[in-house]
Short mmCIF file of all heavy atoms in Angstrom, two decimals:
data_model
loop_
_atom_site.label_atom_id
_atom_site.label_comp_id
_atom_site.label_asym_id
_atom_site.label_seq_id
_atom_site.Cartn_x
_atom_site.Cartn_y
_atom_site.Cartn_z
N GLU A 16 75.24 167.30 71.33
CA GLU A 16 76.36 168.01 71.92
C GLU A 16 77.02 168.90 70.87
O GLU A 16 76.76 168.80 69.69
CB GLU A 16 77.37 166.99 72.45
CG GLU A 16 76.81 166.14 73.57
CD GLU A 16 77.80 165.11 74.03
OE1 GLU A 16 78.98 165.17 73.65
OE2 GLU A 16 77.38 164.23 74.78
N THR A 17 77.92 169.74 71.31
CA THR A 17 78.62 170.64 70.41
C THR A 17 79.42 169.80 69.42
O THR A 17 80.11 168.86 69.78
CB THR A 17 79.58 171.55 71.19
OG1 THR A 17 78.81 172.21 72.18
CG2 THR A 17 80.25 172.55 70.30
N THR A 18 79.32 170.15 68.15
CA THR A 18 80.01 169.40 67.10
C THR A 18 81.45 169.89 66.97
O THR A 18 81.87 170.84 67.64
CB THR A 18 79.29 169.56 65.76
OG1 THR A 18 79.33 170.93 65.40
CG2 THR A 18 77.87 169.06 65.86
N GLU A 19 82.19 169.25 66.07
CA GLU A 19 83.58 169.65 65.84
C GLU A 19 83.70 171.10 65.37
O GLU A 19 84.70 171.75 65.58
CB GLU A 19 84.22 168.73 64.79
CG GLU A 19 84.30 167.32 65.25
CD GLU A 19 83.94 166.34 64.16
OE1 GLU A 19 83.80 166.71 62.99
OE2 GLU A 19 83.77 165.17 64.51
N THR A 20 82.66 171.59 64.74
CA THR A 20 82.71 172.97 64.23
C THR A 20 82.38 173.98 65.31
O THR A 20 82.46 175.18 65.09
CB THR A 20 81.74 173.15 63.05
OG1 THR A 20 80.42 172.90 63.53
CG2 THR A 20 82.09 172.24 61.91
N GLY A 21 81.95 173.51 66.52
CA GLY A 21 81.65 174.43 67.60
C GLY A 21 80.21 174.88 67.65
O GLY A 21 79.87 175.75 68.43
N ARG A 22 79.31 174.32 66.82
CA ARG A 22 77.92 174.72 66.89
C ARG A 22 77.06 173.57 67.40
O ARG A 22 77.41 172.41 67.26
CB ARG A 22 77.34 175.13 65.54
CG ARG A 22 78.23 175.30 64.41
CD ARG A 22 77.47 175.55 63.16
NE ARG A 22 77.15 174.23 62.58
CZ ARG A 22 76.78 174.05 61.35
NH1 ARG A 22 76.60 175.06 60.57
NH2 ARG A 22 76.55 172.87 60.89
N MET A 23 75.94 173.96 67.96
CA MET A 23 74.97 172.97 68.44
C MET A 23 74.09 172.59 67.26
O MET A 23 73.68 173.45 66.50
CB MET A 23 74.09 173.56 69.55
CG MET A 23 74.87 173.98 70.78
SD MET A 23 75.57 172.59 71.64
CE MET A 23 74.17 172.01 72.50
N GLU A 24 73.84 171.30 67.12
CA GLU A 24 73.02 170.84 66.02
C GLU A 24 71.87 170.00 66.55
O GLU A 24 72.00 169.31 67.56
CB GLU A 24 73.83 170.00 65.05
CG GLU A 24 74.89 170.78 64.32
CD GLU A 24 75.64 169.91 63.33
OE1 GLU A 24 75.28 168.72 63.18
OE2 GLU A 24 76.57 170.43 62.70
#
Side-chain angles (χ1 to χ4, degrees):
E16 296 177 11
T17 305
T18 62
E19 296 138 10
T20 62
R22 349 174 272 197
M23 297 293 281
E24 293 182 4

